[in-house]
């Protein structure tokens, strides 16, 4: 056998002797079932001769909890291994019979797959998991409280070797990246909740192919006009002297110095962007509508179409305690008001962090411009934006933990009735906090950067000292693109690396630091122990080896699946909300998700303990979150095109102020002179202008003193007031936003109406099944009546 210490041998041998003498130990019942156990509890083992006062208290609590489980007719098998004690828990058949009967008479769960003759292991695990977490000892401490006090170290359900091996072969491996997913097998092993996550992720990844292709086409459209665009030529060949971008060290500069910047900007800010933004807004709606149909097909096949998590939780409470009292619905206006206030305070704090990032970029621009490195001085603004994006990513990482803690505390204040209600409330709060954490800085860059900074002689300053940032003369969209690209690439790359490496290293360390079992006899060479065929009872030592193998895997918790969903929904937000500034976002998301599916699968199957199978018929409140993101995508993309990009100013220039508008376009492009038209000029000798610049800033690279400098704005060169062109462009911007959003929203409604939530085949199959079930019930009733009449 496999043992480490002689004491273990004596303990187990003594137990066997007691059984042979006819006195069966209560902790080692005879299990008349092939199933080894439904669940495993792990605690610390304290030898009797080494116990102190604190240890005795821990032992008493541990034994008290086990006794409470035995009172509920759960069978317990105890195996000691060094300083660990393992309790294998097996529920009797009566518990599952009671569960199936309650399902049959319930309102929403009666048409389910749980009406089979024997309960599947996933159902057994779910019921035992619920009982364990709703069992308390005399001190009113439940399992979670006992784990916090280190009475127990871990609790988990076991992986099934045969099914685990099959999932590795067909699904949880890198070479299967471009193969389909065995969703039905995933559902049988991990339950409907996990299966629906992978079903949704696979569907999302599949439908990312069209926007990824269109995004690449839009990008290539920008590349096609990269060299021939008159806007790029005008910037690269200009001799215009621009005003300093910061105080003191920054000097006047040539517009042609930003030739590369202008080329990058035209790749993402072109006419194709508008069509792509409209396409993505409609795509988001079609994705959700087709997802509902896709989901309906599978949940109907799994017989959980009408399943209700709240009702199942009520059934499990009765199974756990037949004398339980209902948890009544409660609502406190005081608690709701308090939660609303705290949520508002949290959002103000998050927005304040976004303002702090703005201050950081402003200060970083000044410090880099005044620094000793020439390259950083010349590109201070761009480097500051990139540093700000990296700092934003670090802020996101830290605030994710803070947001989770706050969201949990708020759910405790709400006092929700059921676990499902708590999950929904937590999801909404957590996503709201994460959304503002991720997008507050992007909203500033998209809609405020370069629009509230003032003008020479009247700059807006932070604390009266630091000037706010300015947009590049070619447009502000490049700054938004840089922010999105850095955050999205960093977030996806680093998260995926950590998601795989950390569990793998953790498992490797546990294997290296844990002593290996040594072979003491040939008993464990039994065929059933080696192959663990279903229906065979393992020996004590193979059970221990199997339990240890599962114990060494990485722990999972209630947030494990939630974290995966949150990561993908945030990515969906990036892919849709500001896609007008980053057409390649769907392509990056597609590439990431191809590997994300296998990464999550490998992690769940091989690196982590088995997740408790949960039954559901939908992805829950995430559907509502995705619908809200679809609406935000319409609003945000309309504002990005109408306000952030130069699409509207170019349109107005082409048809109102350019060569084509006044009939002078002879051998000229209609956009010739556009860049010069967007610039205003100041006389640096003016009284109000002189105070913002020092004389050293006005010396050009060629050594001449500049008497005039230009900046991006539509202002008069005389009194520096806004020109009529500014007001015309502003009016057209608002008109475009309203028109864009109304057109896209109408298209979304038409698409949602045109695509039914459930396929006709599913509706007809459910109708036939219901009719068949009702006929069977009537036939059974008739047979019972006939038997009673005969008697």
């Amino acid at each position: 056998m496999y043992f480490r210490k002689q004491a273990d041998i004596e303990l187990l041998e003594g137990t066997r002797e007691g059984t042979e003498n006819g006195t069966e130990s209560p902790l080692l019942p005879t299990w008349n079932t092939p199933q080894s156990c439904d669940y495993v509890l792990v605690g610390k083992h304290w030898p009797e001769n080494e116990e102190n006062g604190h240890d005795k208290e821990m032992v008493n609590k541990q034994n008290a909890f086990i006794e409470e489980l035995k009172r509920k007719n759960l069978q317990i098998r105890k195996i000691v291994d060094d300083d660990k004690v393992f309790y294998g828990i097996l529920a009797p058949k009566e518990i599952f019979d009671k569960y199936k009967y309650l399902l049959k008479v319930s309102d929403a769960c009666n048409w389910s797959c749980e009406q089979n003759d024997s309960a599947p292991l996933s159902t057994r695990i779910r019921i035992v998991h619920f009982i364990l977490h709703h069992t308390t000892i005399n001190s009113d401490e439940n399992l979670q409280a006992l784990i916090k006090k280190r009475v127990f170290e871990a609790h988990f359900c076991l992986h099934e070797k045969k099914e685990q091996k099959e999932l590795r072969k067909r699904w949880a491996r890198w070479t299967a990246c471009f193969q389909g997913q065995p969703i039905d097998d995933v559902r049988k092993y991990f339950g409907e909740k996990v299966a629906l996550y992978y079903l949704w992720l696979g569907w999302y990844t599949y439908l990312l192919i069209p926007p990824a292709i269109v995004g690449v086409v839009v990008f290539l459209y920008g590349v096609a006009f990269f060299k021939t665009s008159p806007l790029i030529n005008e910037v690269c060949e200009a001799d215009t002297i621009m005003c300093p971008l910061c105080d003191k060290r920054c000097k006047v500069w040539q517009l042609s110095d930003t030739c590369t910047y202008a080329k990058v900007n035209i790749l993402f800010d072109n006419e194709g962007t508008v069509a792509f933004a409209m396409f993505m807004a409609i795509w988001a709606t079609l994705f959700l509508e087709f997802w509902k149909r896709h989901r309906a097909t599978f949940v109907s096949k799994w017989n959980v179409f009408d399943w209700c998590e709240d009702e199942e939780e009520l059934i499990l409470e009765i199974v756990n305690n037949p004398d339980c009292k209902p948890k009544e619905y409660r609502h406190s206006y005081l608690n709701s008001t308090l939660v609303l206030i705290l949520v508002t305070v949290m959002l103000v704090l998050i927005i304040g962090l976004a303002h702090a990032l703005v201050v950081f970029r402003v200060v970083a621009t000044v410090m880099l411009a005044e620094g000793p490195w020439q390259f950083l001085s010349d590109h201070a603004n761009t480097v500051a934006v990139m540093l700000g994006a990296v700092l934003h990513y670090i802020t996101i990482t830290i605030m994710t933990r803070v947001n989770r803690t706050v969201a949990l505390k708020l759910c405790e204040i709400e006092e929700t009735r059921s676990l499902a209600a708590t999950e929904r409330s937590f999801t909404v709060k957590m996503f709201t906090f994460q959304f503002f954490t991720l997008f507050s800085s992007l909203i500033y860059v998209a809609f405020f950067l370069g629009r509230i900074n003032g003008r020479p002689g009247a700059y807006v300053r932070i604390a009266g000292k630091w000037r706010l940032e300015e947009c590049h003369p070619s447009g502000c969209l490049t700054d938004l693109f840089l922010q999105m690209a850095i955050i999205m690439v960093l977030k996806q790359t680093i998260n995926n690396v950590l998601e795989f490496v950390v569990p793998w290293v953790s498992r490797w360390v546990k294997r290296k630091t844990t002593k290996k079992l040594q072979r003491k006899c040939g008993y464990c060479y039994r065929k059933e122990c080696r192959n663990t065929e279903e229906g065979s009872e393992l020996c004590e030592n193979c059970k221990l080896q199997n339990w240890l193998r599962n114990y060494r895997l990485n722990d999972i918790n209630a947030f494990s699946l939630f974290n995966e969903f949150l990561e993908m929904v945030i990515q969906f937000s990036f892919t849709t909300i500001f896609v007008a500034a980053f057409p390649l976002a769907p392509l990056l998301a597609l590439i990431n998700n191809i590997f994300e599916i296998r990464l999550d699968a490998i992690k769940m199957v091989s690196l982590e303990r088995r997740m408790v199978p949960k039954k559901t018929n939908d992805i829950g409140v995430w559907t509502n979150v995705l619908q809200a993101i679809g609406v935000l995508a319409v609003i945000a993309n309309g504002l990005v095109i109408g306000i952030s990009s130069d699409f509207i100013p170019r349109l107005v220039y082409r048809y109102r102020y350019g060569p084509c508008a006044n009939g002078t376009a002879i051998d000229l492009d209609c956009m010739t002179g556009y860049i010069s038209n967007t610039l205003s000029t100041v006389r640096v000798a003016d009284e109000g202008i002189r105070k913002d610049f020092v004389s050293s800033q006005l010396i050009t690279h060629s050594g001449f003193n500049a008497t005039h400098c230009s900046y991006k704005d539509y202002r008069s060169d005389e009194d520096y007031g806004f020109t009529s062109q500014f007001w015309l462009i502003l009016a057209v911007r608002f008109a475009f936003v309203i028109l864009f959003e109304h057109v896209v929203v109408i298209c979304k409604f038409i698409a949602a109406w045109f695509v039914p939530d459930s396929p006709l085949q599913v509706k007809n199959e459910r109708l036939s099944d219901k009719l068949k079930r009702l006929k069977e019930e009537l036939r059974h009733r008739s047979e019972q009546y006939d038997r009673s009449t005969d008697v």
Side-chain angles (χ1 to χ4, degrees), residues 452-461 467 682 688-693 715 720:
I452 57 174
N453 59 304
R455 61 170 180 81
Y459 283 122
V460 177
R461 297 177 180 274
R467 278 172 50 185
V682 296
I689 308 299
R690 197 184 311 162
K691 65 178 183 180
D692 278 333
F693 305 123
R715 291 182 180 270
Y720 305 122

Side-chain angles (χ1 to χ4, degrees), residues 77-232:
R77 184 185 295 270
K78 177 180 178 182
I79 301 180
V80 178
D81 177 64
D82 274 356
D83 60 340
K84 300 284 189 298
V85 56
F86 292 81
Y87 295 99
I89 301 169
L90 184 71
K93 181 176 181 293
E94 293 76 17
I95 288 180
F96 307 109
D97 291 340
K98 188 189 303 182
Y99 172 77
K100 287 191 293 183
Y101 174 76
L102 291 173
L103 283 181
K104 187 175 182 179
V105 299
S106 67
D107 294 328
C109 301
N110 51 15
W111 191 69
S112 70
C113 58
E114 302 293 340
Q115 304 302 322
N116 299 327
D117 294 334
S118 61
L121 181 57
S122 59
T123 300
R124 300 177 64 93
I125 291 172
R126 186 169 66 257
I127 296 174
V128 173
H129 174 82
F130 185 91
I131 294 173
L132 286 176
H133 283 77
H134 290 77
T135 298
T136 58
I137 58 177
N138 293 333
S139 58
D140 286 333
E141 292 174 299
N142 59 12
L143 181 59
Q144 287 299 116
L146 295 176
I147 288 177
K148 285 182 180 178
K149 293 185 176 181
R150 306 296 295 172
V151 175
F152 292 103
E153 293 185 4
H155 59 99
F156 53 87
C157 48
L158 297 173
H159 279 290
E160 302 168 78
K161 284 187 178 180
K162 184 178 179 181
E163 287 77 6
Q164 190 181 26
K165 183 178 179 181
E166 188 64 24
L167 285 175
R168 283 200 193 104
K169 180 181 178 181
R170 299 181 55 197
W171 181 53
R173 56 188 177 89
W174 292 114
T175 53
C177 281
F178 298 98
Q179 297 177 8
Q181 299 186 81
I183 294 296
D184 289 332
D185 293 338
V186 175
R187 172 242 173 185
K188 290 177 184 176
Y189 193 76
F190 288 111
E192 282 79 1
K193 198 163 192 175
V194 173
L196 282 172
Y197 163 72
Y198 284 104
L199 184 68
W200 175 84
L201 182 55
W203 186 249
Y204 168 47
T205 304
Y206 176 72
L207 286 190
L208 273 174
I209 295 174
I213 294 173
V214 176
V216 171
V217 170
V218 171
F219 177 76
L220 294 177
Y221 173 82
V223 173
F225 295 96
F226 190 77
K227 295 183 179 180
T228 60
S229 172
L231 304 181
I232 294 178

